[in-house]
Amino acid sequence: MWLEIKSAERHLKLLEVITLLSGLFFFLGSQFAGAAVCAALIIFIRFHLHYSEHAGSDMTFIENEQAERLNVEDEADWTVAFRNGKYPIRDVTMTLTFTNHATFLNKDSIKVGQTIQWTGQLSMEKYEEVRVSIPIKAVKRGKFKMVSCQLHIPHLFGYGYKLMQYKGHFMQEKRIYPETEHVKFSSYTPAVRPGESMASFSLYEDLTMRAGTREYRAGDTMQRINWAAYAKTGQLQTNIYEPVIEEKYMIILNVTYKHAKNIHFEKLIKQAAFMITDAHRLNRTIGLCINVRTKEAPNFYYIAPDKGISHSRKCLEMLSILSIGDVTMPVNPMINQLSLMQTGVTDYIYIGDTSSSERLSSLNGRVWIAGEQEGGAVRWKQQLTGQ
């Protein structure tokens, strides 16, 4: 799993051949002192090449595969471990390259394009395991992970070096959640109260609100049979009840402006992050959809409405990986598809540019526009009428 580059190996092999020929010349000329020096030099070169060939080659790179979740400004430790083989290595220069979502606390970051580098020293005995802990501080949303690991191993005899580049996949990462920007939003009781009208998407029924009867079907329980209707008609009748409507929210995040990315890209993400964290605090059911294209159905980023800590983490992690380079889609096709999906949403919270969102009227529920009035959210129809 290591790509190895050795320095001066070709020169040493050439020197070995020259030394061997010189030793034979001295030996045939009965100059045994010169032949002994050449023999000692050949032994030195052999040991040198053997060490250069095997030192570090059987080293194992160990890392923690568990993902840690951080907020911006949080501090943590990045730990990497190495298990050496049967050859000791000394004064190894270790260069680790990371994405630029965090900074180092024990030394200044060296920026290389969109990455940062950390450099340290390392020495290992044979079969020794060494752990290196690097204190970091999260600075922006995204996945902080290692991009490359490079080891510069100098030779024990002081001549030449060996460069090793890790070729495996780095599993360890720190997931940094986006910052939040407060949005004034307060919903109210659903326009359709439980039991007042039918809600075909609901899985629950209000057993105190009977909506009528139907013919008995196999599997209906005895508690649902309407015995009064049976006495009048002579046929078994089953009670049906009004479905209960659960208050659900869906965030519609539009990251585009006409045919380009919105210049307030980060601001929109912060507002969506606030709505998710606030919903978690209030134990609200909330979902998230973003007009970024995907290969899987429904062909855009979508998380169904739910609640709980694992659901909130899933939403925040989706926001954290958004990039200005993502392939997007127009917001209206996404809204059309949402209107066809029976998700049972009572409130849609729209975040982003509204100049091309005329299809909001097709949504079956209340629509709120966030960030239009000093960070507050207003009803979409009120916005259109100017009320």
Side-chain angles (χ1 to χ4, degrees):
M1 298 296 287
W2 296 91
L3 175 64
E4 302 178 6
I5 301 175
K6 306 178 187 69
S7 71
E9 184 173 324
R10 183 179 302 175
H11 299 83
L12 284 175
K13 290 182 177 179
L14 179 61
L15 179 61
E16 183 182 22
V17 173
I18 295 174
T19 305
L20 179 61
L21 294 176
S22 300
L24 289 175
F25 177 78
F26 286 130
F27 182 78
L28 294 175
S30 299
Q31 299 181 13
F32 300 111
V37 172
C38 291
L41 185 58
I42 291 174
I43 294 173
F44 173 81
I45 293 174
R46 281 286 91 199
F47 273 113
H48 191 290
L49 292 175
H50 181 79
Y51 180 84
S52 179
E53 178 69 26
H54 296 92
S57 298
D58 50 358
M59 179 183 294
T60 305
F61 179 81
I62 307 171
E63 62 173 347
N64 182 13
E65 297 184 5
Q66 293 183 348
E68 183 179 1
R69 299 167 178 86
L70 302 173
N71 293 312
V72 175
E73 301 298 326
D74 283 355
E75 297 180 2
D77 288 324
W78 185 279
T79 302
V80 293
F82 301 91
R83 185 181 297 112
N84 194 21
K86 62 179 180 179
Y87 292 91
I89 53 178
R90 299 282 188 274
D91 299 325
V92 178
T93 301
M94 176 175 54
T95 303
L96 307 179
T97 305
F98 300 88
T99 57
N100 62 349
H101 297 93
T103 186
F104 306 121
L105 296 178
N106 58 349
K107 59 173 65 179
D108 294 334
S109 303
I110 302 175
K111 292 187 178 180
V112 181
Q114 297 298 316
T115 62
I116 56 175
Q117 284 186 351
W118 181 90
T119 303
Q121 296 295 318
L122 182 69
S123 293
M124 303 178 68
E125 300 296 334
K126 62 178 183 178
Y127 304 119
E128 182 184 6
E129 181 175 317
V130 174
R131 291 186 173 272
V132 179
S133 183
I134 308 170
I136 63 169
K137 180 179 180 180
V139 295
K140 67 176 184 179
R141 66 174 182 87
K143 289 185 178 180
F144 179 72
K145 60 188 306 182
M146 191 184 301
V147 177
S148 68
C149 173
Q150 182 177 286
L151 302 179
H152 182 279
I153 305 176
H155 202 282
L156 282 180
F157 301 147
Y159 179 76
Y161 62 88
K162 183 177 185 179
L163 197 63
M164 297 178 55
Q165 183 85 26
Y166 186 68
K167 297 190 301 181
H169 181 67
F170 299 101
M171 303 296 295
Q172 185 179 1
E173 63 182 28
K174 308 284 187 185
R175 300 174 185 176
I176 303 174
Y177 291 158
E179 297 180 271
T180 60
E181 181 175 307
H182 184 76
V183 178
K184 299 176 183 177
F185 173 75
S186 58
S187 182
Y188 44 84
T189 306
V192 183
R193 295 177 182 274
E196 290 184 345
S197 68
M198 296 295 292
S200 59
F201 53 83
S202 181
L203 297 177
Y204 306 98
E205 294 175 317
D206 186 350
L207 299 181
T208 65
M209 300 291 294
R210 197 174 69 189
T213 60
R214 59 169 172 78
E215 291 184 2
Y216 176 83
R217 299 172 186 169
D220 290 345
T221 61
M222 295 292 293
Q223 292 82 357
R224 284 179 173 264
I225 295 178
N226 190 317
W227 297 106
Y230 171 71
K232 292 181 180 180
T233 63
Q235 295 180 347
L236 289 176
Q237 299 287 314
T238 301
N239 289 324
I240 57 176
Y241 302 93
E242 295 288 359
V244 176
I245 296 177
E246 181 187 6
E247 197 169 12
K248 295 182 181 179
Y249 300 84
M250 173 65 74
I251 297 175
I252 302 175
L253 178 56
N254 178 16
V255 296
T256 61
Y257 178 77
K258 296 183 179 179
H259 299 291
K261 285 291 193 304
N262 198 314
I263 60 174
H264 303 297
F265 184 73
E266 293 296 333
K267 177 183 176 70
L268 302 179
I269 294 175
K270 292 178 181 179
Q271 291 179 346
F274 173 81
M275 297 303 302
I276 292 169
T277 54
D278 194 55
H280 176 69
R281 180 180 62 86
L282 298 174
N283 198 31
R284 287 176 172 171
T285 300
I286 195 166
L288 175 65
C289 62
I290 309 170
N291 58 330
V292 172
R293 291 187 183 274
T294 61
K295 295 180 180 179
E296 298 82 13
N299 300 322
F300 55 85
Y301 282 171
Y302 175 79
I303 299 178
D306 202 350
K307 56 186 175 181
I309 186 169
S310 60
H311 175 73
S312 299
R313 285 178 175 176
K314 187 177 180 181
C315 293
L316 290 174
E317 287 172 8
M318 177 173 286
L319 292 175
S320 68
I321 64 172
L322 289 178
S323 170
I324 200 70
D326 290 334
V327 179
T328 59
M329 63 183 295
V331 69
N332 281 323
M334 184 178 73
I335 295 175
N336 287 337
Q337 194 162 348
L338 277 177
S339 65
L340 298 175
M341 298 167 64
Q342 296 185 358
T343 56
V345 175
T346 57
D347 293 83
Y348 293 90
I349 305 168
Y350 184 92
I351 301 175
D353 175 55
T354 58
S355 60
S356 59
S357 56
E358 59 273 7
R359 295 298 300 164
L360 287 173
S361 58
S362 65
L363 295 173
N364 185 22
R366 297 177 303 219
V367 179
W368 304 81
I369 306 299
E372 293 294 323
Q373 294 183 352
E374 298 181 358
V378 297
R379 285 289 298 275
W380 179 61
K381 292 182 179 179
Q382 290 178 351
Q383 185 193 47
L384 293 179
T385 59
Q387 297 178 358

